Amino acid sequence: MLARKSIIPEEYVLARIAAENLRKPRIRDRLPKARFIAKSGACNLAHKNIREQGRFLQDIFTTLVDLKWRHTLVIFTMSFLCSWLLFAIMWWLVAFAHGDIYAYMEKSGMEKSGLESTVCVTNVRSFTSAFLFSIEVQVTIGFGGRMMTEECPLAITVLILQNIVGLIINAVMLGCIFMKTAQAHRRAETLIFSRHAVIAVRNGKLCFMFRVGDLRKSMIISASVRIQVVKKTTTPEGEVVPIHQLDIPVDNPLESNNIFLVAPLIICHVIDKRSPLYDISAPDLANQDLEVIVILEGVVETTGITTQARTSYIAEEIQWGHRFVSIVTEEEGVYSVDYSKFGNTVKVAAPRCSARELDEKPSILIQTLQKSELSHQNSLRKRNSMRRNNSMRRNNSIRRNNSSLMVPKVQFMTPEGNQNTSES
């Protein structure tokens, strides 16, 4: 047989492959936008090329609290071990300078009992015994085998110094451990936000809304919510501001601007002339390079520590024309919260234009509501007609079944030629 590759010239195959590759459009995936604040509330920011590292040592306590747990535990352990070893060396040097070690090595048996009144520290014969005595002094164990005498003022000075150093280490390290376990962001883990934000009409105005809740029964005192919009802007002079922050007001009927977070609440921002979202419409929202940051602050009722919970919403996480479903119901005299529907939304009628266009042409809202009402009535008519058709089909099927179950009539012929009809 002839080789199959000899039938089609190789030059033609290469040209055809090149033409197919040119025809295929090359679609590049859009890179995801870098968030300034993650959904968990962590700041997505990396500090690089910090030259003055010594500034962190000037605030050593905050540096220790900010470290990870494994680093903190290593420092906690090494601080005690190093202090025990340091003072063990000092106790050994005291005993060596006073000649206690040679005295215990030269005398034996019954003669050693007479050395207790002439040595600085009894039963310190080696570095191991000096290390054990250092531990007993700093943690105040006091087994009774080793003790101080009045022979050495230098040993008394070392004893006082070790007690002071031990108290300082205990205060710093235990305070650091306590602050790490009682940090404010631990309480923020039970403060939750809805996965998506919505934009819908409320009281005749376009509003930006999200839901916030507290999973614990202990409340957050003097809770307040702040909203900021972060986006990249360019000034008229050509300066590029990568992180431009703008405050947007929160619609709160209370004068104190605090919220009573006993149950999940829907936080509302009216999109008016002061809002950075005033000129954004539904088609333009997907192309906007912005991030809405939400900050919830308050005082923890049980500890009195100020806590802060954060989250953010990018353009892909904002649903236009949706509304949060109700999750608070009254059951047997008690208000019940269904957290399984915490982030659920339903689609509602909302104009697709911006808030500016809605203010200039209020008729857009009326037309939108009328269209929504007509579509709702049409859906009700279709539903009623479908129910009517289904009921008619059901009745017809029942009639057929009944007719099939009817007893047939039987005719009998008599000899006289008369016809009798009877049912069996």
Side-chain angles (χ1 to χ4, degrees):
M1 290 181 64
L2 295 175
R4 192 169 183 84
K5 65 179 181 179
S6 62
I7 299 176
I8 301 175
E10 186 176 358
E11 293 80 3
Y12 176 76
V13 175
L14 294 177
R16 184 176 179 181
I17 293 173
E20 290 179 354
N21 291 334
L22 289 175
R23 291 171 189 169
K24 293 180 180 179
R26 297 181 179 179
I27 301 175
R28 295 183 180 179
D29 296 334
R30 184 180 177 182
L31 295 177
K33 179 183 178 297
R35 309 176 72 107
F36 187 59
I37 299 294
K39 296 297 290 184
S40 60
C43 296
N44 187 21
L45 188 66
H47 298 277
K48 296 182 179 180
N49 301 325
I50 300 178
R51 297 180 180 180
E52 299 180 0
Q53 298 288 342
R55 292 181 177 270
F56 295 99
L57 297 178
Q58 295 178 3
D59 188 9
I60 187 65
F61 187 79
T62 305
T63 303
L64 292 175
V65 173
D66 290 339
L67 290 176
K68 296 182 179 180
W69 268 108
R70 56 178 178 267
H71 299 154
T72 303
L73 293 178
V74 169
I75 295 174
F76 180 83
T77 304
M78 293 304 297
S79 62
F80 285 101
L81 287 177
C82 292
S83 64
W84 295 338
L85 287 172
L86 176 62
F87 283 99
I89 295 173
M90 297 178 66
W91 287 117
W92 185 83
L93 291 175
V94 169
F96 179 79
H98 194 261
D100 299 343
I101 297 176
Y102 290 106
Y104 277 106
M105 291 175 61
E106 292 175 355
K107 296 183 180 181
S108 61
M110 302 297 295
E111 297 178 353
K112 290 184 179 180
S113 60
L115 294 175
E116 294 181 356
S117 60
T118 59
V119 297
C120 294
V121 182
T122 58
N123 295 327
V124 175
R125 304 182 181 89
S126 61
F127 182 77
T128 303
S129 58
F131 180 74
L132 294 175
F133 180 71
S134 175
I135 296 175
E136 293 177 14
V137 169
Q138 188 160 335
V139 299
T140 63
I141 295 176
F143 291 114
R146 301 169 188 86
M147 56 181 296
M148 289 283 301
T149 63
E150 302 175 356
E151 292 294 324
C152 299
L154 180 60
I156 298 174
T157 304
V158 175
L159 176 66
I160 296 172
L161 181 62
Q162 185 172 6
N163 285 328
I164 295 173
V165 172
L167 290 174
I168 293 174
I169 294 175
N170 288 336
V172 173
M173 298 311 302
L174 293 179
C176 177
I177 297 296
F178 173 76
M179 290 300 298
K180 284 187 71 67
T181 54
Q183 279 185 333
H185 66 84
R186 303 295 180 187
R187 179 62 177 87
E189 296 294 333
T190 53
L191 298 174
I192 57 176
F193 299 88
S194 57
R195 183 70 181 176
H196 295 86
V198 298
I199 293 179
V201 177
R202 175 181 278 190
N203 298 326
K205 296 287 186 179
L206 277 177
C207 298
F208 173 87
M209 294 174 285
F210 60 92
R211 177 173 276 166
V212 60
D214 188 5
L215 299 179
R216 290 187 181 273
K217 290 186 178 180
S218 59
M219 294 186 300
I220 300 295
I221 304 172
S222 302
S224 61
V225 177
R226 293 187 293 114
I227 306 176
Q228 291 184 346
V229 172
V230 176
K231 61 181 180 179
K232 183 178 180 181
T233 59
T234 304
T235 62
E237 294 79 16
E239 180 185 1
V240 177
V241 182
I243 303 175
H244 183 57
Q245 301 181 17
L246 297 172
D247 285 329
I248 57 179
V250 178
D251 184 20
N252 192 351
L254 301 178
E255 296 181 357
S256 60
N257 201 24
N258 293 333
I259 59 176
F260 186 51
L261 196 61
V262 67
L265 298 177
I266 297 177
I267 307 301
C268 177
H269 159 64
V270 179
I271 304 177
D272 52 10
K273 296 180 180 180
R274 301 173 298 170
S275 174
L277 309 176
Y278 189 61
D279 296 322
I280 298 177
S281 61
D284 299 336
L285 182 61
N287 300 324
Q288 291 295 321
D289 187 12
L290 59 85
E291 180 178 357
V292 181
I293 298 175
V294 179
I295 303 172
L296 172 63
E297 292 180 337
V299 179
V300 182
E301 183 181 20
T302 54
T303 61
I305 300 175
T306 302
T307 185
Q308 185 183 91
R310 300 178 296 268
T311 191
S312 68
Y313 301 99
I314 57 178
E316 289 80 5
E317 296 171 348
I318 301 175
Q319 297 178 346
W320 195 290
H322 285 72
R323 182 185 299 163
F324 289 105
V325 299
S326 178
I327 61 175
V328 180
T329 57
E330 186 177 356
E331 298 177 358
E332 299 179 356
V334 178
Y335 287 98
S336 177
V337 181
D338 186 5
Y339 281 98
S340 63
K341 302 177 182 179
F342 183 80
N344 294 357
T345 60
V346 292
K347 200 168 185 178
V348 295
R352 309 287 292 177
C353 63
S354 63
R356 179 185 292 274
E357 296 176 1
L358 188 62
D359 291 342
E360 295 175 354
K361 299 178 181 179
S363 59
I364 297 177
L365 179 59
I366 300 174
Q367 295 175 0
T368 303
L369 295 178
Q370 290 177 352
K371 290 180 181 178
S372 175
E373 185 66 23
L374 290 175
S375 63
H376 181 65
Q377 292 178 359
N378 292 331
S379 63
L380 288 178
R381 293 194 191 97
K382 291 181 181 179
R383 196 176 302 168
N384 293 332
S385 63
M386 290 177 64
R387 290 177 179 175
R388 195 179 302 109
N389 294 333
N390 291 334
S391 62
M392 292 176 62
R393 291 173 185 173
R394 195 179 299 108
N395 294 332
N396 293 332
S397 63
I398 293 173
R399 290 175 183 174
R400 293 193 192 97
N401 294 334
N402 293 334
S403 62
S404 63
L405 294 175
M406 291 178 65
V407 180
K409 294 181 179 180
V410 182
Q411 295 180 356
F412 296 96
M413 298 298 293
T414 60
E416 291 80 8
N418 295 330
Q419 184 176 358
N420 297 328
T421 305
S422 64
E423 293 182 357
S424 59

